[in-house]
Amino acid sequence: MAPSHSASKRKAGEAPISPPPIKRSLQSTTTKSAVANFFTPTSQKPKDRTTWSERGPNDDVPATLLVGRYVPEAHNSGQKPRRKIAAFDLDSTLITTSSGKKHASDATDWKWWHPHVPGILQKLYKEKDYQVVILSNQGGMTLHFDPSYKGPKANVQKRVTEFKQKCSAILNSLDIPISVYAATERDIYRKPNTGMWKEVCEDYDIPENEVDLEHSFFVGDAGGRVAGLSGSGSEGLVAKAKDFSCSDRNFAHNAGITYRTPEEYFLGEKPRDFARDFDVAQFPFDEAVSSSEGPSNAFERKNQKDVVLFCGPPGAGKSTFFWRHLRPLGYERVNQDSLKSRDKCLQAARELLSEGSSVAVGGCASRSRLLCYKELTKVLDNTNADPETRALWVDIASKAKVPIRCVWFKTPLHICEHNDAVRAHNQSLNPEARQRLPKLAFTGFASRYKAPQIKEGFQDIVELEFKFLGTKKEHDIWARYWA
């Protein structure tokens, strides 16, 4: 007989009772000091010992250098200036991101590059009589926007605020007299230029000629190291990527001090091989070449009247070559910097030829005349990079019944960029007050460039390799790293 439904049904009072859930106390990550600090009035909170200032290359332009100076509470300001300078890059040298990302996500996303870093910096100041400073390129920040800028500003301004917060925490952790310098634009402050180095000397009352260059040094990760295998011991050889730049090594060269990578300085690793795209040592001063004036054997006049077309990238030396070698031969210059448009240049060339003059065509475009190079390339092309552009001038010469010759400036692009930076940062070498060209000016030329050929209609093509022309004083300026 089947059991009755009521018998099989368990009484409510007989049901098993589960033990009550255990209340687990969560470990708070908020410290008592943090809570106390939150409720402490601002007037009673400890003073932030990092003071910030902004500086510019001159009084006529907005500030581009951000400087934070930390002075410990018990510091004796009456100490004599220290002649030895220990300078360090910031990112990937003193710190790295704690998140593992390439770029920090916020002001707290950082950790020491190696646990030994803070102790080593403190020892440099406290035991070895060094003045310790941080010199960093921070191209992602903008201190003051150009009036014509129409892009978003909030994120850029946020980067500046977060950078200050991060650096204040870093300097506070070190707790030694130290300053951080952040170059935000492509000007005299940006490494490898030595604008920040000069500011350090002024801030710490060290005449530049009295710095102990033999014992001063700079540590940074941009050393131009080539890709390869590195390391030893239990981990064996490890593949290493090439450095993104050689700006830190070049900065140390310009300042006249020793350079070390973070691995060499903090970990004692052996130096890796490195290579520069442009090595100033390969271009020593040649007095015989540089002091020559007037016409050169590289270019001789062949016709009573003709057109000479320059072909080469910005910064190749076209303007210098014209004034040194073609102007003395009686050539007139058609320059798109002054005439503003290609049509006006073509018309000017026609008029000069009709008057019986010979014409030289070409010259570097000045960025100061237009807002951006993309706009400039639509209407101006002083480089004559492609056959289509050169054909316009071949047609002009053909209709005027005169020969057209081509001077081909075979200056490598990395030298052209160097020349452009030298010109922009040195007033004595920049009589036309040209601003520095954007990277696009050079990559744009490279994308359109096709080597000139006789079959395009040229009488001949004069090929010119780059040679520095100038005085010894000018060469001393040129033979530094500027880009």
Side-chain angles (χ1 to χ4, degrees), residues 74-96:
H75 176 63
N76 178 12
S77 59
Q79 295 180 1
K80 292 182 179 180
R82 301 183 176 209
R83 308 298 179 188
K84 296 186 297 183
I85 299 176
F88 296 85
D89 189 17
L90 180 62
D91 300 307
S92 300
T93 297
L94 296 183
I95 63 170
T96 186

Side-chain angles (χ1 to χ4, degrees), residues 58-59 65 79 93 104 115 132 145 168 176 191 208 213 236 252 260 277 299 302 330 346-347 358 385 406 408 469:
N58 55 63
D59 295 335
L65 179 68
Q79 295 180 1
T93 297
V132 182
F145 291 96
S168 292
I176 58 174
K191 295 175 296 184
E208 281 192 71
L213 298 178
R260 294 286 184 270
D277 290 334
F299 186 88
K302 290 186 175 182
L346 293 169
Q347 181 59 33
S358 291
C406 179
W408 179 13
L469 298 177

